[in-house]
Amino acid sequence: MSGQQVSDKVTTIDEVQLAPDETLDDLRCGGLRIIQSRDGYRFSLDPVLLCAFARIGAGEAVVDLGTGSGVIPLLLARRTAAGSIVGVEIQSQAADRAQRAAVLNGLAERISIIHRDLRDLRGVLAPESCDVVLSNPPFRPIGTGKVAPRDERAAARHELAGGLEDFLVAAYFLLKQGGRFYLIHLAERLAEVLAAMRRMRLEPKRLRCVYSRPGQGARLVLVEGRKEGRPSLTVEAPLYIYVGEGYSAEVLAMYGE
């Protein structure tokens, strides 16, 4: 199955079936639903933040590296006028769930899911064929933090199948000259992220820090890079996830609430 599109798994909404270890969950975004492993990695707020930060033009070709359950392609297909959206995922079961979710939401004509290691995309996706690449990669290097007990959760949180530079190399390979790369990562790794992006010639152009609440330190960073771009970084206003007892107005707006 490696390197193959999985779009032939199902062709109609009626054919989408859940395995006993899967759940059907509401994304709270435009009625979208996703299929997830009951005991594996579960979707978080991160891809919602990343999609809201990204700027996608009409007709643009988009690739999501490490798509997991396909949250980013689903959000972009529903909320933007992107031309084509491809999700690349190394884990076969996750790739299958992502494609079934595209069918379930009636978005299979706009979304393609490819089961492939992002470190080996040659012959599967053409070089310099994309306008935009996004990624919500594993945040932690091997040997740091507690590794999740199940393979799927471990691979989503730790760099078991490629580190930060592997994602950047893949993005550079796929992007057209001047193409845009969007990333969400840990604030504590910001220096490493920016240095690696410049080294891989994905010049950082926009930066936004994400805080849980006002008065606390940043937890996450959102970064836009441009392939072969000129040095010039805009630091945007902070993003607060919570205000009081619930989500901030900005985060609620990302959910359409």
Side-chain angles (χ1 to χ4, degrees):
M1 182 176 177
S2 180
Q4 299 295 314
Q5 291 191 12
V6 293
S7 57
D8 59 348
K9 288 289 183 181
V10 287
T11 56
T12 69
I13 293 176
D14 292 338
E15 294 180 27
V16 175
Q17 296 181 348
L18 298 182
D21 64 343
E22 293 177 336
T23 62
L24 182 62
D25 300 299
D26 185 358
L27 266 180
R28 288 179 59 189
C29 297
L32 292 169
R33 293 175 290 172
I34 57 171
I35 302 168
Q36 301 188 96
S37 169
R38 192 179 301 276
D39 298 319
Y41 176 74
R42 309 286 291 181
F43 129 87
S44 68
L45 180 63
D46 299 353
V48 178
L49 299 177
L50 181 60
C51 289
F53 179 73
R55 297 171 177 172
I56 312 294
E60 290 191 315
V62 181
V63 172
D64 175 31
L65 297 174
T67 198
S69 55
V71 174
I72 288 175
L74 290 172
L75 290 172
L76 296 181
R78 179 59 54 86
R79 294 185 166 184
T80 76
S84 65
I85 305 170
V86 176
V88 178
E89 174 55 45
I90 191 172
Q91 299 188 79
S92 60
Q93 290 182 321
D96 179 61
R97 292 188 198 108
Q99 187 59 56
R100 282 185 286 143
V103 173
L104 178 70
N105 290 283
L107 297 171
E109 291 186 359
R110 298 186 61 201
I111 296 173
S112 298
I113 304 296
I114 297 176
H115 172 217
R116 187 75 173 194
D117 188 329
L118 60 86
R119 295 169 293 187
D120 185 25
L121 293 178
R122 293 185 183 276
V124 179
L125 294 172
E128 300 186 0
S129 59
C130 303
D131 301 288
V132 178
V133 173
L134 301 92
S135 188
N136 175 22
F139 284 164
R140 300 199 176 276
I142 298 173
T144 62
K146 182 179 179 181
V147 178
R150 294 180 179 272
D151 290 345
E152 186 172 317
R153 290 171 60 191
R157 296 173 180 172
H158 283 78
E159 297 173 340
L160 303 182
L164 173 62
E165 290 201 2
D166 293 305
F167 283 83
L168 299 179
V169 168
Y172 188 90
F173 170 77
L174 292 170
L175 284 171
K176 299 175 182 177
Q177 190 79 356
R180 304 180 305 285
F181 173 63
Y182 295 97
L183 176 78
I184 185 167
H185 219 295
L186 292 175
E188 65 192 60
R189 296 185 68 183
L190 176 58
E192 177 186 357
V193 167
L194 296 180
M197 288 178 65
R198 298 200 78 180
R199 189 164 58 249
M200 298 298 169
R201 293 183 290 175
L202 296 169
E203 183 65 31
K205 301 295 289 184
R206 291 170 58 217
L207 169 67
R208 192 172 193 192
C209 294
V210 182
Y211 302 78
S212 289
R213 298 178 185 278
Q216 298 181 355
R219 291 180 51 239
L220 300 169
V221 288
L222 295 157
V223 187
E224 174 188 326
R226 190 172 294 268
K227 182 174 178 177
E228 303 292 354
R230 295 180 179 178
S232 176
L233 177 64
T234 299
V235 180
E236 299 186 346
L239 169 59
Y240 299 109
I241 296 176
Y242 301 104
V243 173
E245 298 301 318
Y247 281 146
S248 67
E250 186 171 6
V251 171
L252 287 175
M254 294 177 188
Y255 281 105
E257 300 177 14

